[in-house]
Amino acid sequence: LSAQTFEQAQAELEQIVERLERGDVGLEELTKLWERGEELYRRLAAQLADAQGRIEELARRLDAEGAD
Amino acid sequence: VKVEAIEVEGRKVYSVRAFNEGVASYLQRLPTLWVEGEVTELRRQQRWATVYLTLKDPDSGACLAAQMPRGQFDALRLDLVDGERVHAYGRPELYTQRGDFHLRVLTIERFGLGAHLAAIERLKQKLAAEGLFAAARKRPLPRIPSLVGLVTGNDAAAKRDVLSAITTRFPPAHVLVAETYVQGPRAAPAIATAIRDLCAHGADVIVLARGGGSFEDLLPFSDERVVRAVAGCSVPVVSAVGHEQDTPLCDLAADVRASTPSVAGRLVVPDLAELRASLDRAHILLGRGARRIVEQHGRRLAGTRERLSRAPLLVLERRSSRLETAHARLRALSPRATLERGYAIVRSGDRLVREPPAAGEQLDVEVARGRFGARAD
């Protein structure tokens, strides 16, 4: 699962949403798909926040060096 | 000259002297002719009656000993030095005492302008045919050289121009200067050696610089050894020799031709201020680009998330509306609707009455708004 790249996880999440929006889903599957979608969302959001944090950190460090 | 042989046990045998004299007299029959070559090992002394020199082919290295009476040599007032190219007019001769072969020179002419031009043109054709000047051979200069090699004369204005152009534009540049002869007969081999030495010292670009000069002054830069050293150099060579209108052959073999030494200096290093500015621009763009990508992904993910959160409800709504429809249809099929129209259901105990019952049988009648008992007649 964790071997999935950001892009793969994103594609899977979008496929789940499209299936749900088409509505051809059994009730039991509905819960499963929704939970899976939420899990993918949490992971993707965490990865984005991590990337953002690292970019800002790097920018701060370079700014500090540039100011020397 | 009659060459006497002696008979020894039925075999004709010649003395060394007789043999040499025989060959010498044979050589005397050869015509007097012009030989072109480079003067080397020129020996002229006041107390000697003869001037000795060796003529040499610059490319093949083939040598020919030559000698000329000193009086005649001095009368020519040539002030020849080693390395100069000459045409010597003479005939082959054997010195019979030693068996030494040489050219007996009657007159010498220093290579004239026309001869030089013709020789350069011949060399140009030959090297062009070898592909030494081909555009495909030209290599790009390194963007930021780690070591610039400079071949130039000592204390030359060309040297100062190149160095000041380099240090103005790119102060941290490293330059290794090889000072050599840049004119005269010793220049060509010295320049070729300097180019190879600078390569060996790790130069990653080489500048060949010499200010303007007379046609003869610039001759070494059209010498085959120099042209081959430039073409065969393992790193790119920038040639800045003479003035704009001069085109020594080394210019054709070089990767880049600069009109002046200053231009050559500016060509081999980047402008530091410009480099800094473009680095800063790239840095800003890098930060912006990275942030934009993260933001784009963030927006896309937020949109997907919103759809995801709405989706299950949507599914449930659709299901329940289907359920409602089915229920309505189910109700429509219920027998109650029939009773409303005035029909009745008649039961006898638990059994539905479909045939006329026996007289006196107790029946149970259901109508739209209730039920009542009855007895069959």
Side-chain angles (χ1 to χ4, degrees):
Chain A
L1 263 174
S2 52
Q4 222 177 9
T5 66
F6 184 92
E7 282 69 24
Q8 285 166 341
Q10 193 174 42
E12 193 192 337
L13 174 58
E14 283 168 0
Q15 274 166 13
I16 286 174
V17 171
E18 273 160 32
R19 261 195 83 188
L20 290 179
E21 283 176 342
R22 274 202 309 277
D24 58 346
V25 179
L27 268 183
E28 299 77 9
E29 220 189 343
L30 169 65
T31 345
K32 265 189 214 147
L33 280 177
W34 186 73
E35 277 169 5
R36 172 72 181 152
E38 280 295 325
E39 183 200 328
L40 287 167
Y41 166 74
R42 277 194 301 279
R43 255 186 23 218
L44 288 168
Q47 278 183 41
L48 272 182
D50 182 49
Q52 178 125 32
R54 267 188 284 176
I55 288 169
E56 297 308 330
E57 169 63 26
L58 199 61
R60 265 199 303 282
R61 220 186 314 157
L62 290 173
D63 280 349
E65 279 170 20
D68 293 344
Chain B
V1 179
K2 193 166 187 310
V3 178
E4 303 278 1
I6 48 174
E7 287 271 330
V8 178
E9 291 167 10
R11 178 185 284 170
K12 271 175 96 181
V13 176
Y14 297 90
S15 69
V16 172
R17 181 173 184 83
F19 174 79
N20 283 358
E21 278 176 353
V23 174
S25 77
Y26 181 80
L27 287 178
Q28 271 169 22
R29 277 182 263 153
L30 292 177
T32 306
L33 37 72
W34 289 99
V35 178
E36 178 184 313
E38 215 176 74
V39 174
T40 60
E41 297 163 12
L42 178 71
R43 284 155 300 162
R44 178 199 165 280
Q45 289 198 15
Q46 214 60 39
R47 55 196 168 84
W48 293 350
T50 307
V51 172
Y52 302 90
L53 61 128
T54 302
L55 292 173
K56 188 178 167 188
D57 262 354
D59 42 349
S60 76
C63 288
L64 170 65
Q67 47 181 264
M68 187 175 186
R70 186 170 60 80
Q72 285 176 36
F73 181 84
D74 287 353
L76 293 171
R77 298 178 182 282
L78 282 172
D79 295 324
L80 280 180
V81 293
D82 280 1
E84 287 196 86
R85 283 188 145 191
V86 294
H87 284 173
Y89 186 66
R91 52 184 170 76
E93 190 178 68
L94 194 76
Y95 177 44
T96 51
Q97 189 59 35
R98 297 186 50 83
D100 282 344
F101 170 76
H102 59 258
L103 184 74
R104 155 81 45 191
V105 179
L106 304 176
T107 189
I108 292 186
E109 281 180 12
R110 180 179 270 119
F111 226 51
L113 185 67
H116 276 302
L117 281 171
I120 289 174
E121 191 53 36
R122 277 201 305 276
L123 181 60
K124 185 175 168 181
Q125 300 300 335
K126 178 175 115 178
L127 298 181
E130 281 181 38
L132 250 61
F133 308 145
R137 285 181 56 102
K138 310 289 181 206
R139 293 159 293 189
L141 304 181
R143 223 164 85 80
I144 304 176
S146 53
L147 180 65
V148 178
L150 173 58
V151 181
T152 185
N154 66 333
D155 201 32
K159 178 174 111 184
R160 197 193 55 226
D161 288 351
V162 174
L163 289 178
S164 86
I166 287 178
T167 48
T168 305
R169 214 167 129 79
F170 193 71
H174 293 287
V175 184
L176 188 59
V177 182
E179 289 179 355
T180 65
Y181 298 101
V182 289
Q183 65 193 63
R186 293 152 95 175
I191 293 165
T193 304
I195 290 172
R196 281 188 277 271
D197 284 353
L198 287 173
C199 280
H201 278 88
D204 49 10
V205 63
I206 286 177
V207 177
L208 192 55
R210 191 208 189 284
S214 69
F215 176 79
E216 284 80 6
D217 287 346
L218 298 183
L219 277 176
F221 294 91
S222 290
D223 188 286
E224 183 165 2
R225 289 163 290 186
V226 171
V227 182
R228 285 197 186 279
V230 168
C233 185
S234 56
V235 300
V237 178
V238 178
S239 172
V241 176
H243 293 304
E244 184 78 61
Q245 71 276 10
D246 302 318
T247 308
L249 296 186
C250 70
D251 269 8
L252 303 179
D255 296 279
V256 176
R257 185 193 171 200
S259 54
T260 66
S262 296
V263 170
R266 284 198 291 277
L267 279 174
V268 290
V269 288
D271 185 315
L272 185 61
E274 216 170 80
L275 203 64
R276 281 226 172 92
S278 86
L279 205 60
D280 285 347
R281 278 196 300 278
H283 181 202
I284 290 167
L285 290 179
L286 172 73
R288 253 187 233 160
R291 284 192 188 96
R292 195 167 53 231
I293 288 169
V294 170
E295 278 162 19
Q296 273 169 2
H297 276 109
R299 274 198 298 279
R300 183 165 158 189
L301 187 60
T304 313
R305 207 270 164 105
E306 212 186 305
R307 284 162 65 198
L308 176 69
S309 61
R310 273 201 308 266
L313 218 64
L314 218 65
V315 172
L316 288 177
E317 267 167 23
R318 236 175 265 172
R319 294 263 149 171
S320 81
S321 89
R322 257 166 77 182
L323 200 61
E324 290 298 324
T325 314
H327 187 215
R329 285 172 64 197
L330 190 67
R331 282 176 63 130
L333 290 175
S334 147
R336 248 170 228 295
T338 314
L339 294 187
E340 284 290 345
R341 296 209 301 271
Y343 290 86
I345 298 169
V346 180
R347 289 190 185 83
S348 171
D350 286 343
R351 184 174 51 83
L352 281 176
V353 178
R354 291 191 178 83
E355 284 162 21
E361 194 170 337
Q362 185 66 38
L363 302 169
D364 184 35
V365 181
E366 186 178 349
V367 291
R369 288 186 195 82
R371 48 176 57 192
F372 57 89
R375 192 180 297 275
D377 283 344

